Amino acid sequence: MARRRQPEEPVNRERWLVSYADFITLLFAFFVVMYSISSVNEGKYKVISEALIGVFANADRALQPIPVGDERPRTVTPAKPLVKDSEQIDAGIAQAANDPLKSIADDISAAFGDLISSNQMTVRGNELWVEIELNSSLLFGSGDAMPSDIAFNIIDKVAAILKPFDNPIHVEGFTDDRPIRTAQYPTNWELSSARSASIVRMLAMQGVNPGRLASVGYGEFQPVANNATAEGRARNRRVVLVVSRNLDIRRSLTGTGTTNAKPDAALKRAGTQTAPTPIKSPGRESAVNSPSPALIR
């Protein structure tokens, strides 16, 4: 029995349309790209043409050669300074006269001449900060951070001088090397920190902006005299009020302490920077304005 022959599939004679459609699509894309390249940005063309016209139209610029070698300058007259020397001197004198650090140092020296002459207070400074050093025996009892009556009188006068200015202030507390072991002050760290914090609170109570203030205690680890003698230990028991020119200097000083700090180039920054104004809340405002029982005797 003969096998059936499979029917032959008809030949698709329209397959060329697929290739033709692809060709037309590619040709359309080609013309789009060519059109986009040939389009000219009139604004950019105008700017470039004006620049070229200005260059080639200037005969001096186009023809004059570039000076090379030992060509003499066209003029030997020296350039005039923008600011005259006399104006610079006057500005320096005015700035020195209005320097808040100098004003604070002069006012403190005038107000506490008797304490300075008796070596119970020392006022010193430089172009970056002013130090007001007080003997701890003037302010506190032995091994205590409770301010005395004399302390209130002294800090009241100091606060009145510091209040009009915006310079940042930090108070440093120091002790001698004799150990202290009480329930309130286990070490000299706590005692020195409590004494500096008491002075800061007293300044704030007298109207000095609390945003300018900071306190730090160094204990017995930054002495200025030998602790082997009673006189040296008395010198080491001190409280120092440091008025800085700006906040950056105050941060640098609190990290090292003014005992070891030097007014080097890294700290020299011009201008007085205003301390930030603290955000007052109703609950805390009454607490700041009202005297603390610990500070009233």
Side-chain angles (χ1 to χ4, degrees):
M1 183 176 181
R3 293 182 179 180
R4 284 188 178 182
R5 297 179 62 181
Q6 296 291 336
E8 295 181 0
E9 294 182 359
V11 179
N12 188 359
R13 301 181 183 280
E14 297 178 356
R15 287 183 299 180
W16 62 274
L17 291 175
V18 178
S19 300
Y20 180 76
D22 294 339
F23 174 74
I24 294 298
T25 304
L26 293 174
L27 190 63
F28 175 75
F30 173 76
F31 282 112
V32 169
V33 172
M34 293 297 293
Y35 175 77
S36 62
I37 293 175
S38 63
S39 61
V40 180
N41 190 328
E42 296 181 0
K44 293 182 179 180
Y45 176 78
K46 186 177 181 180
V47 172
I48 294 175
S49 63
E50 290 178 356
L52 293 175
I53 292 173
V55 170
F56 290 106
N58 191 345
D60 294 337
R61 183 179 297 180
L63 300 177
Q64 185 176 2
I66 299 175
V68 178
D70 298 332
E71 183 177 352
R72 293 184 178 181
R74 295 183 179 180
T75 178
V76 294
T77 305
K80 295 182 179 180
L82 298 178
V83 181
K84 297 181 180 179
D85 293 338
S86 59
E87 296 178 358
Q88 293 178 347
I89 295 174
D90 295 341
I93 294 174
Q95 183 176 2
N98 297 327
D99 190 358
L101 295 182
K102 186 177 184 303
S103 300
I104 291 172
D106 294 342
D107 294 343
I108 293 292
S109 300
F112 299 98
D114 52 346
L115 294 179
I116 295 174
S117 60
S118 62
N119 295 326
Q120 293 180 313
M121 174 185 284
T122 303
V123 180
R124 56 181 175 268
N126 49 56
E127 67 273 18
L128 300 180
W129 68 82
V130 171
E131 302 175 35
I132 306 168
E133 181 179 322
L134 291 164
N135 197 314
S136 293
S137 60
L138 278 174
L139 308 175
F140 309 101
S142 177
D144 196 5
M146 179 70 69
S148 62
D149 294 336
I150 300 177
F152 278 95
N153 295 331
I154 294 175
I155 300 303
D156 288 352
K157 293 181 181 179
V158 173
I161 295 173
L162 298 178
K163 185 177 178 180
F165 299 95
D166 294 327
N167 298 74
I169 306 165
H170 77 273
V171 182
E172 301 175 341
F174 304 89
T175 64
D176 56 22
D177 64 345
R178 290 193 170 182
I180 180 173
R181 295 184 182 90
T182 63
Q184 191 173 7
Y185 309 114
T187 65
N188 284 322
W189 287 110
E190 286 82 8
L191 179 60
S192 61
S193 300
R195 286 178 172 177
S196 62
S198 296
I199 300 301
V200 165
R201 294 181 63 188
M202 294 168 67
L203 291 172
M205 289 168 56
Q206 295 303 318
V208 179
N209 183 5
R212 302 168 52 191
L213 302 175
S215 67
V216 59
Y218 295 100
E220 74 263 25
F221 300 104
Q222 292 197 19
V224 293
N226 191 354
N227 281 305
T229 63
E231 182 181 0
R233 290 192 296 270
R235 288 185 58 193
N236 290 331
R237 295 190 298 268
R238 65 198 189 277
V239 174
V240 182
L241 286 76
V242 184
V243 184
S244 304
R245 186 168 294 280
N246 55 48
L247 289 173
D248 292 333
I249 295 174
R250 190 185 76 177
R251 295 188 184 103
S252 300
L253 293 178
T254 53
T256 59
T258 53
T259 305
N260 302 321
K262 301 296 181 183
D264 54 2
L267 287 177
K268 289 181 178 179
R269 300 174 186 271
T272 299
Q273 180 178 353
T274 304
T277 303
I279 300 175
K280 296 182 179 180
S281 59
R284 295 183 60 186
E285 185 175 2
S286 59
V288 172
N289 294 333
S290 60
S292 174
L295 296 178
I296 300 177
R297 299 188 64 183

